[in-house]
Amino acid sequence: MKDLLAQVEPMVPALRRYARALVRDADLADDLVQDCLERVVKRWDQRRRDEDTRQWVFSIAHNLAVDCIRQQSRRGVHVAIEDIEEREMAGPATQEDRIRGNEVLRFLEALPPEQRSVILLVSVEDMSYAEAARTLGIPVGTVMSRLARGRERLSRLMDGVPVQRPEAGSPPALRRLK
């Protein structure tokens, strides 16, 4: 442990500078450095003895920063709810919105009940796949496949593409894949 402190402690100011330059947010950079130091402590015995410790620590910080930047780009810009004016959050629905909403409800009714229930639980009620599976008493994989098929069918219906149900007793349709 003395070896760890002796080698890593002098790097902390440089790590903070590096993190701040990468993420351009002081609080986020401090969190990143803390996460980096936690990983260094946890994995200290896993490092290669012949490897430059400074390079190893900075590569951990770099990888964490890249992950953080990717995560932020997927999430979009974060704005605190207190900073948004109420009129920006909600507004009256337009006539087109009401028509589209009624169409979606009509298309949902056209789905088979098992697909409709999964779509409603996951997309409207915001349940996780596991929660929806427990609610319906089916495996998570079944929830995922019903959701995928239901979304595909709903998308086709909304795009005006006719969806045909296979007749009872007919063989499944096969596609040729290259």
Side-chain angles (χ1 to χ4, degrees):
M1 192 55 110
K2 287 181 183 180
D3 186 38
L4 173 114
L5 286 174
Q7 290 188 42
V8 176
E9 190 174 15
M11 290 183 219
V12 173
L15 267 175
R16 289 184 77 207
R17 275 193 309 273
Y18 182 63
R20 284 181 181 200
L22 283 176
V23 296
R24 294 192 171 114
D25 179 336
D27 293 332
L28 188 59
D30 289 342
D31 291 344
L32 189 125
V33 170
Q34 181 176 346
D35 291 345
C36 175
L37 293 174
E38 285 176 15
R39 286 198 184 183
V40 167
V41 170
K42 282 182 188 173
R43 299 178 182 170
W44 185 251
D45 294 332
Q46 297 174 3
R47 79 187 195 298
R48 289 185 227 127
R49 303 278 184 226
D50 60 337
E51 186 176 29
D52 179 21
T53 303
R54 182 177 171 85
Q55 180 182 349
W56 180 68
V57 171
F58 273 79
S59 68
I60 291 172
H62 176 79
N63 291 335
L64 286 169
V66 168
D67 290 345
C68 179
I69 291 167
R70 283 184 186 147
Q71 188 178 48
Q72 282 180 331
S73 69
R74 282 191 306 265
R75 285 186 179 164
V77 177
H78 173 74
V79 178
I81 197 159
E82 306 86 41
D83 297 340
I84 299 175
E85 292 187 33
E86 188 174 336
R87 62 182 159 79
E88 293 178 29
M89 292 176 42
T94 63
Q95 184 175 5
E96 292 85 19
D97 292 335
R98 287 189 197 104
I99 291 170
R100 191 67 173 162
N102 289 335
E103 286 178 346
V104 170
L105 290 174
R106 194 177 73 239
F107 292 140
L108 270 172
E109 289 175 8
L111 294 177
E114 62 274 0
Q115 291 176 0
R116 182 174 53 243
S117 62
V118 170
I119 286 177
L120 290 172
L121 289 175
V122 172
S123 300
V124 177
E125 298 303 325
D126 203 26
M127 285 189 182
S128 69
Y129 294 170
E131 291 170 333
R134 283 192 302 272
T135 301
L136 297 172
I138 58 176
V140 174
T142 304
V143 167
M144 293 167 53
S145 64
R146 286 181 184 176
L147 185 62
R149 287 193 315 263
R151 284 177 175 165
E152 175 65 27
R153 180 173 280 192
L154 188 59
S155 174
R156 286 174 168 266
L157 288 169
M158 291 174 73
D159 290 340
V161 177
V163 177
Q164 298 172 347
R165 288 189 177 184
E167 295 179 23
S170 66
L174 299 177
R175 293 183 296 171
R176 182 175 182 171
L177 301 175
K178 292 185 179 182

